[in-house]
Amino acid sequence: MHGWVGHNVYGAELERVLLDSAAIDRRVRELGDSISRDYAGRELLAVGILKGALIFLADLVRRLTVPVAIDFVAVGSYGAGTESSGAVRILKDLEQDIAGRHVLLVEDIVDTGLTLNYLLEIFRARAPASLRVCVLLDKPERRRVPVPIDYCGFVIPDEFVVGYGLDYNERYRHLSDIVVLRREVYRGNSV
Ligand code: 5GP
């Protein structure tokens, strides 16, 4: 067990470190290299899905060697627990027109796939020159709709994780590691 857990005020809710900041950093560099190679000679629009992808996007774009613009979209899925209800809606749309642009959708985690599936449909209809998906974490066991993932950081087991942008009721986004939340914390609290 990492030493910080005992010192953290939220420590009792956190079970173990799944991915530490060094491992995340290494993987983000690799993803940045692949994306830079694939988009050589083109200009990219990285679209972060708020709020979870904020920290991942911030680190990722600093690893890119191609010109990149940044925009954000915010989605909600009704409810504040650990389960997506299935109904997704846009809370904040893009500020930029994506027609004819090379768009890379950047997401923290794919779980059921409903969020990305919904956004991909909407964005495709806006006629971008290309549309790809980059996710830090993939939980394939829980997939309900297939999602094409072009760049994936880590495949993880079906556990609820927080840190590095990911929250539980808006807490823990600031942690540098990705940490498993104890099941007792959210059991019976799903929506
Ligand atoms: P999906 O629509 O693929 O079911 O869910 C995607 C969203 O669910 C993510 O953007 C994230 O907000 C939330 N989510 C899914 N699994 C986790 C998890 O393990 N931890 C956290 N913090 N959020 C999760």
Side-chain angles (χ1 to χ4, degrees):
M1 181 59 77
H2 288 232
W4 64 265
V5 171
H7 302 294
N8 190 292
V9 286
Y10 303 127
E13 290 189 352
L14 304 179
E15 188 176 292
R16 67 179 197 285
V17 174
L18 185 66
L19 298 162
D20 67 20
S21 62
I24 298 168
D25 188 55
R26 273 196 303 275
R27 191 66 188 123
V28 171
R29 279 169 195 266
E30 289 171 0
L31 290 172
D33 289 345
S34 308
I35 293 166
S36 298
R37 263 196 311 275
D38 294 352
Y39 285 88
R42 285 179 287 175
E43 187 161 344
L44 191 60
L45 174 64
V47 172
I49 304 176
L50 292 172
K51 300 173 209 171
L54 175 71
I55 292 173
F56 176 40
L57 180 98
D59 283 347
L60 183 68
V61 293
R62 282 179 287 180
R63 300 294 169 206
L64 299 180
T65 55
V66 290
V68 57
I70 296 172
D71 206 342
F72 292 100
V73 65
V75 293
S77 69
Y78 303 96
T82 58
E83 294 281 328
S84 172
S85 65
V88 186
R89 64 190 163 137
I90 289 198
L91 303 175
K92 180 217 168 293
D93 206 338
L94 297 174
E95 289 170 11
Q96 300 175 48
D97 185 2
I98 62 170
R101 316 265 309 261
H102 294 287
V103 177
L104 181 66
L105 204 46
V106 179
E107 174 63 311
D108 51 1
I109 185 165
V110 195
D111 188 22
T112 62
L114 292 166
T115 306
L116 273 175
N117 184 55
Y118 171 79
L119 283 177
L120 283 170
E121 259 175 43
I122 288 178
F123 287 178
R124 265 186 215 118
R126 298 180 184 178
S130 67
L131 179 59
R132 286 188 179 179
V133 173
C134 175
V135 300
L136 181 65
L137 306 172
D138 181 10
K139 270 202 264 191
E141 283 169 53
R142 305 230 323 155
R143 196 75 86 253
R144 282 165 61 187
V145 287
V147 174
I149 299 174
D150 301 283
Y151 306 96
C152 173
F154 303 91
V155 174
I156 64 164
D158 181 15
E159 293 185 287
F160 195 82
V161 292
V162 295
Y164 199 70
L166 290 143
D167 76 310
Y168 176 64
N169 292 343
E170 294 303 325
R171 290 156 78 194
Y172 305 122
R173 291 193 198 276
H174 65 291
L175 301 180
S176 305
D177 302 321
I178 290 174
V179 183
V180 175
L181 191 73
R182 286 190 195 285
R183 278 187 198 276
E184 306 90 89
V185 177
Y186 59 87
R187 195 187 290 136
N189 193 21
S190 307
V191 289

